[in-house]
Amino acid sequence: MTRFGWFLGSEEWQPELLVAQARRAEEAGFDTVLVSDHLQPWVDDVGAAGFGWSTLGAVATATRTVGLMSAVACPLFRQHPVMVAQAAATLDRLSGGRFALGVGTGEGINEAPLGRFPRYEERLARMTEALGLLGPLLAGATVERPDAPYYPVSALRLHSPPLTSVPVYLAAAGPRSAATAGRLADGVVTSVKDPEETGRTVVDVARAAARAAGRTPPTVVLTSFVVLAEGEDEAIRALGPWRGLRTPGRLVASSPTRLRRNADRLGRDWVLARYRRVTQPRQLLDFCELVRDRLRPDVFALQVAALDGAAAVERFGELVELLRRR
């Protein structure tokens, strides 16, 4: 059965508020919480950018049963894959085995300010190598790869290994990353706007790649972005921290100032048109059922922009209860 998640946006809320939201999500009946990892927000005038690993650690100790997931960390540039493995293992211990590691090939806003942000081909090659480190380290193995092209490692193992088997999920926006997830990772993470397109370009591809490699079907983790607002004025205020997210060139942009200027130049109507908006969570019921029936996700997480994040958790908890009964 599909498990339901709540996305904790480090780009929108300060870390102490995210911890409070995580507690509310557990109380509201969500099965898991997903925490984004950002060095910078999408715009420079509002928003936040707490350290995702610290937030996850605080959530681990503030909750009892809800699952935890990084959504997603980039183990390629500012964070070495060995350090990400160490962080994941520690979180698994602190949470009593509730952690899943979500990783991705990165975004310029987070990686470029500390160095170069190469083209996708190199990032995918780096991710392939990084996955070859993360899996064995999290399984308790000693890794020794002195001649690796990107991440050479002398004999090394984790001395505080996970208590359980930590799954590694790879984020994918298209078929190349999806196929890599199916072949090398335990699952695939993607955002869904159009269920048919997401199925065709990501979910079906990951499942086919796993099948061709003789592996078990990948865990499918889906997120969907929605704005909870009574009208356009409230919606544009709720979208303040996110208005740079879907601007052209945002993947390689390194400056939240530039993203903010781009979004504001494109205008309010342009921003509003790029997000699904509801006044009541029940309005998402048909869409959620379509996602569940077409894509059969293992986890379906809601990413909600709202003026009051804590209240939104409770309101969407009612939607989750409806979905469980249907």
Side-chain angles (χ1 to χ4, degrees):
M1 292 183 63
T2 297
R3 303 187 302 278
F4 294 97
W6 182 260
F7 187 92
L8 298 170
S10 299
E11 310 95 304
E12 181 174 9
W13 305 103
Q14 296 294 353
E16 64 273 18
L17 298 178
L18 294 179
V19 175
Q21 277 192 37
R23 285 195 297 262
R24 289 200 177 207
E26 184 175 69
E27 293 167 358
F30 285 92
D31 302 298
T32 190
V33 292
L34 292 73
V35 178
S36 58
D37 178 51
H38 263 248
L39 179 64
Q40 300 186 101
W42 292 111
V43 291
D44 65 344
D45 57 345
V46 290
F51 190 47
W53 297 114
S54 298
T55 301
L56 280 161
V59 170
T61 59
T63 57
R64 293 177 177 271
T65 60
V66 71
L68 314 177
M69 178 181 160
S70 55
V72 290
C74 177
L76 308 182
F77 303 105
R78 64 190 168 95
Q79 300 180 30
H80 192 283
V82 170
M83 301 306 295
V84 170
Q86 184 184 30
T90 301
L91 277 165
D92 186 73
R93 299 183 74 93
L94 291 174
S95 67
R98 292 183 280 140
F99 181 67
L101 175 61
V103 296
T105 56
E107 296 159 322
I109 200 73
N110 300 314
E111 311 305 327
L114 299 186
R116 57 191 291 269
F117 185 64
R119 294 175 64 87
Y120 173 77
E121 288 74 15
E122 180 180 329
R123 303 201 318 270
L124 185 62
R126 285 175 174 270
M127 179 58 74
T128 300
E129 187 176 316
L131 290 171
L133 286 171
L134 291 167
L137 285 170
L138 289 171
T142 297
V143 174
E144 185 171 12
R145 298 180 184 180
D147 298 322
Y150 297 114
Y151 310 110
V153 176
S154 301
L156 173 74
R157 66 180 174 88
L158 298 178
H159 291 268
S160 293
L163 297 174
T164 62
S165 177
V166 176
V168 181
Y169 306 146
L170 176 61
R176 291 177 67 183
S177 288
T180 303
R183 289 186 294 105
L184 301 177
D186 300 303
V188 63
V189 185
T190 193
S191 175
V192 55
K193 304 179 189 71
D194 179 339
E196 284 299 325
E197 181 181 359
T198 299
R200 185 176 64 255
T201 61
V202 177
V203 176
D204 296 347
V205 173
R207 286 171 172 155
R211 187 165 54 249
R215 307 183 78 227
T216 58
T219 297
V220 174
V221 180
L222 302 180
T223 66
S224 189
F225 198 115
V226 60
V227 184
L228 179 65
E230 290 296 328
E232 291 188 354
D233 289 343
E234 182 178 338
I236 204 68
R237 284 189 290 143
L239 281 169
W242 300 101
R243 64 194 195 277
L245 172 61
R246 291 180 178 167
T247 55
R250 67 94 185 169
L251 181 63
V252 297
S254 61
S255 167
T257 302
R258 179 172 296 178
L259 288 173
R260 185 253 303 164
R261 289 172 178 167
N262 289 346
D264 292 346
R265 185 178 63 253
L266 289 164
R268 156 189 177 123
D269 291 343
W270 187 95
V271 172
L272 288 171
R274 269 128 191 97
Y275 298 91
R276 190 182 305 274
R277 188 170 82 247
V278 299
T279 58
Q280 298 290 335
R282 284 173 176 262
Q283 293 172 301
L284 271 185
L285 188 59
D286 290 344
F287 172 74
C288 290
E289 288 187 322
L290 177 61
V291 169
R292 183 183 62 188
D293 295 344
R294 165 62 178 90
L295 302 177
R296 295 175 288 113
D298 297 279
V299 178
F300 182 33
L302 297 166
Q303 181 175 355
V304 180
L307 294 182
D308 187 338
V313 175
E314 295 175 0
R315 295 182 65 183
F316 276 89
E318 297 173 3
L319 172 64
V320 166
E321 288 306 310
L322 282 175
L323 288 166
R324 292 191 201 281
R325 295 199 296 265
R326 293 172 69 123

